[in-house]
Amino acid sequence: NFSGNPHMASMQSGSFYPFNILFFFIPFIPAWSIYIILQTILASLFTFLLLREYKLSKTASVFGAIAFAYSSYVTVWVEFGNLGYSFLWLPLILLLLHKNILKPTIVKTASIGFILALTILAGYIQTSIYAIGFAFVYALFVIFVLNKEKRVKNLLISGIAFTLGLLLSFVQLLPTFELFMRSTRSPYSKEALMALLIPFYHLVTIIIPDFFGNPATRNYWLNGTYIERVSYVGILPLFFAVFSFFKKPSKLVMFYALCALAVFLMVFDTYITRFLYSIYIPPIISTGVPSRMMYLFCFPVSILAAFGIHEFEKNANKKKILILSGIFLITIIAIWGFVLLAPKYLGGQDFIKYLSISKRNLIIPTGILLLGLASIITSTYMGRLKKTLLIFIILITILDLFYFFQKITPFVPVGTVYPKTEVMEQLKNIQGIDRSWGYGSGVVQTNLQEHEKIYGTDIYDALHLNTYGALITSGKNGKIEYPLPRSEATIPGGYGSEDLKSNPFRKRLLDLLGVKYILNKTDIEDKNPNTGTFPEKDYLLVWAGGKWQIYQNKGALPRIYFVSKYMIEGNQDKAISLLMDSNFDLRDTVVLSENLKVQLQKDPTATIKLISYTPNEVDVVTNSRSQMLLVLSDNYYPGWEVVIDKSEGKILKTNVSLRSVVVPAGMHTVKFRYQPQSFYYGFIISAVTLISMVLYLI
């Protein structure tokens, strides 16, 4: 799919993540459900175990675990799967690091390395880097602050654990690095990064998560993306996180508080943050959205909440409770005052018309806060009810976070997940290895072809080939559109009766990439061809059912074909111009990026028989009376090799991003094989590391 973009190397597919084994043994929908739900179960379990290691009570540990595992950050990203799995192991890593530094053992060291590898193999490298960085800082904190004995030894042991995690991940990291260097992924400019910072006024959502609305109810009224800005752990966990400072804070409390502050300074738009981003930022970090590290704000705040409620259990100082309750009440009253008075005194501002949304979304958090404060104050003055009221406080927090969860991540009937449709079933029967594309309201969303196992051109992936990205943008106006989209490569869409036939560049791109079938959706049931949109000279209606139609693109090139002419053009922009020129014969001429010192001759009788087409292997049998170029309209990428009979051939970069090989006259078996050296080298490193660890443990 995607004209042959590397799948495993893109990393986000998490090909080597052990939990993906679910999909081999369980049908897709229950496997996916288990895979998603396990994230919150594991996150809460690991956080609970870490808090118990800190000698906190069971009540406090449950409270902190719930606050983190069901915080707004985890909730809005839980459906993505790989992102959650790349950070949920963090509490367990911290637990093992803590134990191992205090009392080192081989098993714990090896376990840390293995879990660090899981964090990387989960598939979301940005959050993996943040988690590993946090764990590294934590290890230094424990070594230099909590356990000052045998620092050199503990540094060495911790270094070994981190190194093991890295080496175990090389099977994924080397192919990913190879693709990263050839992808459209590039660092954000400093200006773009600063534009992605969370506005300072968004700080109100730490208390009122939907103050600016919610995309689930279609009323989020700020520019920017809602899920990139979430920071809510629950209003009562926030209360107890602040309360953890009302007594002289322990070293652990100070560590987590400073970590939360550091993250705050990295993601919220302040003068300090802008100064930090004016300094050099490592390319790998700056290719992602800065606010993706907000889980490292939610996590420390949740830990602090557990410390706070633990202290509250032991010694609930009435004066301190009343002071903090007053601060929270004044804050919520001030927010209400702003919402109610702003229309009167700031009537000329644009945001005033949206404050009715803010007012409505203030009601539930205010109710939860008042109910929670009443329980906290009552338990302070009536100690015999404290245990009961603490359970009630936990239940209120669960209610608070569940309300937020179900609002943005609702459950749906099984039948709505990839339902079978007549048009898709027909397309599967018709299409074969040819490609399809959707026009107008018949557009097929990117990556759906993966599930349906049909061939397409479009892609949404963090890492995809820059050459393909360049080629596919040319369908808009006949030249490369800079800058290339960072995550999407899609044939330019269009609507209406004129758009399809009025853009010759998109038509040439469809032909070049072998897009033989085009989906169309009509307003009414119509089994007659729409010749106004799909002219008879270019398109043939091959199926119609309901409001759907499938047209054959008569000009589409075969997926595998012979040519006898070529032109040399190493400049990508000039090569695109040649391909988009209407005088350029796509059927018998290609553009190569390097000189080819062979003689080619056209043979109209030449034949190609497809033997096998799989993701990693393409086999064909050719027969021609002259030497010709065999073109395969899949992406050119290192790791693809070709064998003609028993002799190794050379794959040529063709038509900017595709591939071809010179085939001699006569009958030959041509075998394309994907055997990337980056994978094999990475596999050897990871395998040797794993085997060595097992042998050493034995």
Side-chain angles (χ1 to χ4, degrees):
N1 217 342
F2 318 136
S3 303
N5 193 72
H7 182 69
M8 180 272 289
S10 72
M11 194 170 192
Q12 289 200 9
S13 48
S15 301
F16 300 110
Y17 190 61
F19 283 29
N20 281 343
I21 201 168
L22 285 168
F23 298 98
F24 288 90
F25 299 105
I26 304 175
F28 178 82
I29 294 175
W32 176 256
S33 301
I34 293 168
Y35 179 79
I36 295 301
I37 292 170
L38 271 176
Q39 292 173 90
T40 47
I41 294 173
L42 293 175
S44 55
L45 173 62
F46 298 154
T47 306
F48 175 82
L49 294 174
L50 175 65
L51 292 169
R52 292 294 288 160
E53 175 65 17
Y54 294 153
K55 311 302 183 197
L56 300 188
S57 68
K58 290 180 181 178
T59 302
S61 300
V62 167
F63 188 69
I66 290 169
F68 174 57
Y70 300 92
S71 62
S72 59
Y73 186 96
V74 178
T75 291
V76 300
W77 291 108
V78 71
E79 286 182 288
F80 289 72
N82 56 10
L83 195 146
Y85 278 108
S86 66
F87 67 73
L88 66 80
W89 298 99
L90 177 61
L92 186 58
I93 295 169
L94 301 187
L95 169 64
L96 291 171
L97 280 169
H98 195 95
K99 285 178 168 289
N100 203 40
I101 292 169
L102 296 179
K103 189 176 180 181
T105 67
I106 295 169
V107 173
K108 282 182 282 192
T109 303
S111 298
I112 294 167
F114 181 73
I115 297 169
L116 284 167
L118 289 181
T119 301
I120 296 171
L121 297 177
Y124 205 88
I125 190 64
Q126 184 184 359
T127 48
S128 299
I129 291 172
Y130 295 151
I132 293 169
F134 190 98
F136 181 75
V137 172
Y138 182 81
L140 295 179
F141 164 73
V142 177
I143 291 169
F144 287 95
V145 178
L146 295 186
N147 183 31
K148 299 179 182 179
E149 298 179 0
K150 301 178 181 178
R151 288 177 176 173
V152 175
K153 178 183 177 182
N154 285 327
L155 278 172
L156 180 62
I157 291 171
S158 299
I160 290 171
F162 279 91
T163 302
L164 287 173
L166 189 66
L167 293 175
L168 285 171
S169 308
F170 259 60
V171 65
Q172 178 69 71
L173 291 176
L174 284 186
T176 298
F177 180 75
E178 181 179 53
L179 178 57
F180 178 82
M181 297 306 293
R182 292 169 172 81
S183 74
T184 58
R185 201 74 175 177
S186 59
Y188 286 111
S189 65
K190 290 173 184 175
E191 294 75 18
L193 274 173
M194 291 178 184
L196 292 168
L197 297 173
I198 302 175
F200 191 75
Y201 51 78
H202 215 274
L203 196 62
V204 69
T205 60
I206 294 177
I207 301 174
I208 315 296
D210 287 344
F211 184 85
F212 300 107
N214 189 298
T217 48
R218 305 287 199 274
N219 60 9
Y220 183 65
W221 51 271
L222 291 181
N223 292 325
T225 307
Y226 177 88
I227 64 173
E228 301 287 7
R229 296 174 172 179
V230 289
S231 54
Y232 188 65
V233 297
I235 196 163
L236 297 184
L238 181 65
F239 177 93
F240 284 107
V242 177
F243 182 72
S244 67
F245 280 89
F246 271 58
K247 182 185 175 183
K248 184 180 179 180
S250 66
K251 292 176 181 178
L252 270 169
V253 168
M254 286 301 300
F255 171 79
Y256 282 109
L258 289 172
C259 287
L261 178 62
V263 173
F264 177 90
L265 293 176
M266 290 294 289
V267 299
F268 277 89
D269 192 355
T270 65
Y271 289 113
I272 297 173
T273 312
R274 286 181 170 268
F275 170 74
L276 291 173
Y277 279 106
S278 68
I279 306 170
Y280 173 76
I281 304 165
I284 293 179
I285 299 295
S286 59
T287 59
V289 180
S291 57
R292 298 278 169 88
M293 69 173 73
M294 276 305 291
Y295 75 92
L296 293 180
F297 176 82
C298 293
F299 176 66
V301 172
S302 301
I303 299 295
L304 293 174
F307 274 98
I309 205 166
H310 178 78
E311 184 60 33
F312 178 77
E313 279 185 282
K314 290 196 308 178
N315 179 25
N317 185 288
K318 297 176 183 178
K319 183 179 179 181
K320 293 177 180 178
I321 287 294
L322 290 174
I323 291 172
L324 186 56
S325 298
I327 292 171
F328 270 72
L329 280 173
I330 290 170
T331 302
I332 206 80
I333 290 169
I335 296 171
W336 270 106
F338 175 80
V339 169
L340 295 174
L341 297 177
K344 182 177 180 180
Y345 295 102
L346 301 172
Q349 301 295 322
D350 289 340
F351 66 84
I352 295 299
K353 60 186 176 183
Y354 299 111
L355 288 182
S356 60
I357 298 170
S358 303
K359 182 166 61 176
R360 186 168 62 250
N361 290 341
L362 260 168
I363 296 172
I364 291 178
T366 301
I368 289 172
L369 177 63
L370 293 176
L371 194 59
L373 290 181
S375 302
I376 292 167
I377 294 170
T378 302
S379 67
T380 304
Y381 284 89
M382 301 179 67
R384 66 182 184 275
L385 295 176
K386 181 173 283 188
K387 288 185 177 180
T388 302
L389 289 171
L390 281 174
I391 294 172
F392 184 63
I393 288 167
I394 292 174
L395 291 175
I396 294 172
T397 300
I398 291 172
L399 178 66
D400 180 14
L401 295 177
F402 179 75
Y403 174 77
F404 180 87
F405 175 91
Q406 64 86 29
K407 187 175 184 179
I408 198 166
T409 314
F411 292 91
V412 298
V414 170
T416 65
V417 183
Y418 295 130
K420 288 188 179 297
T421 59
E422 185 182 12
V423 63
M424 196 57 70
E425 294 303 309
Q426 290 293 333
L427 190 61
K428 289 179 185 178
N429 294 332
I430 296 170
Q431 186 170 334
I433 70 163
D434 293 303
R435 297 192 173 107
S436 58
W437 176 73
Y439 176 70
S441 55
V443 64
V444 179
Q445 292 296 325
T446 53
N447 301 25
L448 178 62
Q449 295 96 332
E450 285 285 346
H451 180 77
E452 298 292 350
K453 294 182 173 62
I454 57 175
Y455 298 94
T457 56
D458 294 354
I459 183 173
Y460 183 93
D461 203 308
L463 298 180
H464 64 270
L465 294 173
N466 52 22
T467 52
Y468 187 63
L471 176 62
I472 210 165
T473 63
S474 66
K476 184 176 181 180
N477 56 20
K479 60 183 181 181
I480 301 172
E481 291 276 305
Y482 294 106
L484 298 177
R486 301 171 80 247
S487 298
E488 274 195 316
T490 58
I491 290 177
Y495 291 90
S497 60
E498 298 299 321
D499 198 316
L500 185 64
K501 59 190 178 186
S502 65
N503 185 344
F505 307 114
R506 178 173 51 213
K507 179 63 168 68
R508 288 185 70 82
L509 185 62
L510 291 168
D511 294 347
L512 179 67
L513 293 176
V515 179
K516 191 173 181 179
Y517 298 100
I518 297 178
L519 287 172
N520 181 50
K521 189 178 182 183
T522 59
D523 294 329
I524 58 173
E525 293 188 14
D526 188 1
K527 294 190 176 182
N528 298 313
N530 181 355
T531 55
T533 305
F534 298 88
E536 286 183 296
K537 67 181 181 65
D538 293 322
Y539 304 99
L540 173 67
L541 180 64
V542 294
W543 180 84
K547 295 182 179 181
W548 285 93
Q549 296 176 327
I550 301 176
Y551 287 87
Q552 180 182 325
N553 175 18
K554 296 178 181 179
L557 292 168
R559 288 289 304 280
I560 310 168
Y561 59 100
F562 272 130
V563 298
S564 60
K565 298 176 185 176
Y566 62 89
M567 298 181 68
I568 307 299
E569 182 52 73
N571 182 283
Q572 194 166 252
D573 291 272
K574 292 180 180 179
I576 290 287
S577 296
L578 284 172
L579 292 170
M580 292 295 138
D581 188 338
S582 59
N583 295 318
F584 186 90
D585 183 6
L586 290 176
R587 290 194 167 274
D588 196 39
T589 310
V590 293
V591 179
L592 302 179
S593 59
E594 59 182 288
N595 197 11
L596 183 63
K597 297 178 181 179
V598 297
Q599 293 295 319
L600 304 178
Q601 187 176 348
K602 189 171 184 177
D603 176 15
T605 65
T607 60
I608 302 169
K609 182 181 179 182
L610 179 65
I611 304 301
S612 171
Y613 188 99
T614 62
N616 298 326
E617 183 177 307
V618 181
D619 294 350
V620 297
V621 173
T622 66
N623 192 0
S624 63
R625 293 181 296 189
S626 59
Q627 184 166 251
M628 302 179 76
L629 266 176
L630 180 71
V631 181
L632 175 61
S633 65
D634 286 347
N635 275 312
Y636 175 92
Y637 189 74
W640 277 101
E641 301 172 355
V642 64
V643 174
I644 302 172
D645 298 329
K646 294 184 180 180
S647 301
E648 186 176 340
K650 180 181 180 181
I651 296 179
L652 303 167
K653 188 177 179 181
T654 306
N655 290 345
V656 177
S657 190
L658 309 180
R659 58 184 187 256
S660 66
V661 61
V662 176
V663 178
M667 182 176 285
H668 301 283
T669 300
V670 182
K671 295 178 179 289
F672 292 91
R673 297 284 186 276
Y674 185 48
Q675 297 179 324
Q677 294 300 306
S678 58
F679 165 73
Y680 292 111
Y681 290 142
F683 177 79
I684 290 169
I685 293 170
S686 296
V688 169
T689 303
L690 181 61
I691 293 169
S692 300
M693 286 172 61
V694 172
L695 291 176
Y696 194 71
L697 286 169
I698 292 171

